[in-house]
Amino acid sequence: MSRYGFIQHPESVTLVVVEGNELVLVTQSRPGSGGKTLELPAGTLEPGETPEQAAVRELAEECGLAAATWTYIGGFWVVPSYSTEYSHVFEARDLRPATASLDEDEDITVERRPIDGTLAVLSDAGSLAALALWLEQP
């Protein structure tokens, strides 16, 4: 019999934030990478929160933005070999400013990049998976 260790992790959201022909991305420190990573905005659901509520909250917290148009794209298991985390992917459009409120331990820089070529510069698997799902939408 084999034994496996795994991490019980809440669900999360990953956001594809579209502004014209650009995507809104975040650069932040990630201890596991030994530096900073370029990612799609994302975050963990808080207790009792729906994925939709988490998406709205994370967009405001990390990017200082609100979106008038939200579309559910799908989802993926982040690392099913050792984690229970499932990430829901949302597209956010029709943006307007909102109040940003980063968590105490977050050091985030918001930037915009052309959609073309973004897949090649993202640093984490969750962002790559979410953007690939979004790019495959009809």
Side-chain angles (χ1 to χ4, degrees):
M1 180 166 121
S2 297
R3 283 200 264 169
Y4 295 94
F6 64 92
I7 299 167
Q8 284 281 37
H9 194 285
E11 293 181 351
S12 62
V13 293
T14 306
L15 312 178
V16 181
V17 184
V18 184
E19 191 168 49
N21 291 324
E22 296 182 321
L23 296 177
V24 177
L25 307 174
V26 294
T27 299
Q28 58 186 315
S29 297
R30 293 291 194 190
S33 74
K36 294 190 176 212
T37 59
L38 181 63
E39 307 174 7
L40 296 176
T44 302
L45 273 68
E46 294 180 353
E49 191 174 43
T50 67
E52 293 81 4
Q53 291 168 326
V56 170
R57 178 182 51 76
E58 287 293 340
L59 182 60
E61 282 181 5
E62 291 194 356
C63 301
L65 295 169
T69 305
W70 289 93
T71 304
Y72 184 73
I73 301 301
F76 59 92
W77 294 101
V78 177
V79 187
S81 59
Y82 64 83
S83 173
T84 61
E85 182 180 359
Y86 185 84
S87 190
H88 301 270
V89 181
F90 291 90
E91 175 192 76
R93 289 184 182 262
D94 302 320
L95 307 173
R96 65 183 182 283
T99 303
S101 59
L102 295 174
D103 289 340
E104 213 171 269
D105 61 343
E106 290 180 314
D107 174 23
I108 294 176
T109 303
V110 177
E111 60 182 87
R112 286 157 176 78
R113 294 257 181 138
I115 293 168
D116 290 342
T118 297
L119 195 62
V121 298
L122 292 173
S123 303
D124 71 301
S127 293
L128 290 167
L131 189 56
L133 279 173
W134 181 76
L135 289 169
E136 289 297 315
Q137 294 299 299

